[in-house]
Amino acid sequence: MAAVARVLGDFFLPASGPLVAAAAILLVVLSATTGLRIRGAAAWIWLALTAAVLGLVVVTCFAIAPVPPLPTGASPADSAVGITGAAGVLFFAFLGFERLTAPAEERDRVPWAAVKRGVVISFVLLTAVLAVVTAALVHQLGWSRLALSPTPIRDVLTAAAASELAPLISVGAAVALLPVLLAGLEAIRSTALALVQEGDLPRGLGRRSGAGTPYLLDVGAGVAAVAVALLVDPVTAMAFAACSLLVHYAFANAGARLLLADAGGWPMRAACLGMGVSVVIAMSMPISAMLATLVVVFIGPLATGGVSRRWR
């Protein structure tokens, strides 16, 4: 949530990115606590807005002749660890992908056949969008400028002599990211409620508001996200979030392997492959991200174990 909010803040008001990020998180927490959920026609409208913003950037990149490439000397050889590490940061784009198989509410579950179809279609579409946007940025900026740019979507408009579109793109991108923040909060809520029900977190955290939402969990997650957004730059936050997500997927695939042995539905080797790839990519991430994730992996069970019924 902190990483997404910082990107939102840097798009909307670069000079005050951290403050805008904090305000966006508090707005989302307030909206979620009152029971707001973006679904149906509203979800399709937001998806169309996101596609329109990305489409405008792609068309601009390919419609205008690219700037001359930067002069480069002898470039270092490509490293396998560097490539997999970059893939780990790019994995942040798949944040929330598990929501297809683990919805926030039990009533949102759909038949297994629809889940399999949705996973495949979503993965293919997201990969295609990433490929097209990356190709457009590389075409206009080149590899060197793209690697050096902290905000490539905005910088590519300047390079393409389309800086007058920057305010429109920035506002559109910021608005499009709001549902992502809301989905992130719902994911935190879903996991935390499961821990409360299992007795791994205090029962009081599951207290519901008048709208039926666990407001203490929402506020706690929001305050933590605001603190990270104010103190950590977005690239570092993305690396940490991506590394944590990869560790989560490694454990999820390990569990899925055992479930598939009994239930079937997908071959067990798919879960083994997912677990292996998640571990390899996570171990290629920056040292700071790995250490922070390791701290969370150790502190999380110890903290919840202190209040768990099984430890009393």
Side-chain angles (χ1 to χ4, degrees):
M1 284 184 66
V4 173
R6 277 300 301 270
V7 174
L8 184 154
D10 288 348
F11 266 116
F12 190 76
L13 196 62
S16 304
L19 295 179
V20 174
I25 292 172
L26 295 178
L27 174 64
V28 165
V29 169
L30 178 62
S31 302
T33 303
T34 58
L36 174 66
R37 300 188 70 190
I38 300 176
R39 30 191 339 174
W44 285 107
I45 291 173
W46 239 294
L47 182 61
L49 173 63
T50 305
V53 170
L54 293 177
L56 183 57
V57 172
V58 170
V59 169
T60 302
C61 289
F62 285 117
I64 300 175
V67 296
L70 288 174
T72 56
S75 58
D78 289 335
S79 165
V81 175
I83 294 174
T84 52
V89 178
L90 189 63
F91 197 74
F92 184 77
F94 293 87
L95 181 69
F97 199 78
E98 71 279 1
R99 305 288 294 153
L100 293 170
T101 55
E105 302 289 344
E106 188 68 28
R107 65 175 183 270
D108 293 336
R109 293 192 178 276
V110 295
W112 174 238
V115 171
K116 291 179 64 176
R117 186 169 59 251
V119 166
V120 173
I121 292 174
S122 299
F123 183 81
V124 171
L125 286 178
L126 180 55
T127 303
V129 169
L130 282 173
V132 171
V133 172
T134 302
L137 295 177
V138 171
H139 173 76
Q140 189 59 233
L141 292 177
W143 291 111
S144 299
R145 285 191 175 91
L146 179 59
L148 295 172
S149 172
T151 53
I153 295 292
R154 194 166 55 234
D155 293 344
V156 76
L157 298 176
T158 303
S163 55
E164 63 274 6
L165 293 177
L168 176 64
I169 295 296
S170 296
V171 173
V175 173
L177 286 172
L178 284 173
V180 182
L181 277 177
L182 189 58
L185 183 60
E186 286 191 353
I188 297 170
R189 178 194 293 171
S190 177
T191 303
L193 282 176
L195 291 173
V196 168
Q197 292 170 2
E198 291 294 324
D200 293 322
L201 287 177
R203 294 286 182 184
L205 291 177
R207 189 176 303 167
R208 304 274 180 163
S209 66
T213 58
Y215 64 94
L216 291 179
L217 288 176
D218 291 347
V219 172
V223 170
V226 166
V228 176
L230 291 175
L231 298 175
V232 183
D233 68 89
V235 175
T236 303
M238 278 186 193
F240 172 45
C243 193
S244 300
L245 189 64
L246 286 162
V247 171
H248 163 73
Y249 277 143
F251 281 111
N253 277 285
R257 179 185 178 280
L258 300 177
L259 294 176
L260 291 174
D262 299 327
W266 248 326
M268 288 176 57
R269 61 179 177 272
C272 294
L273 176 63
M275 180 174 61
V277 171
S278 297
V279 171
V280 169
I281 296 179
M283 293 181 66
S284 304
M285 297 290 286
I287 297 297
S288 59
M290 284 194 290
L291 290 177
T293 302
L294 188 64
V295 168
V296 171
V297 168
F298 277 102
I299 288 182
L302 291 176
T304 57
V307 297
S308 174
R309 294 172 306 191
R310 294 185 291 274
W311 284 47
R312 291 175 184 171

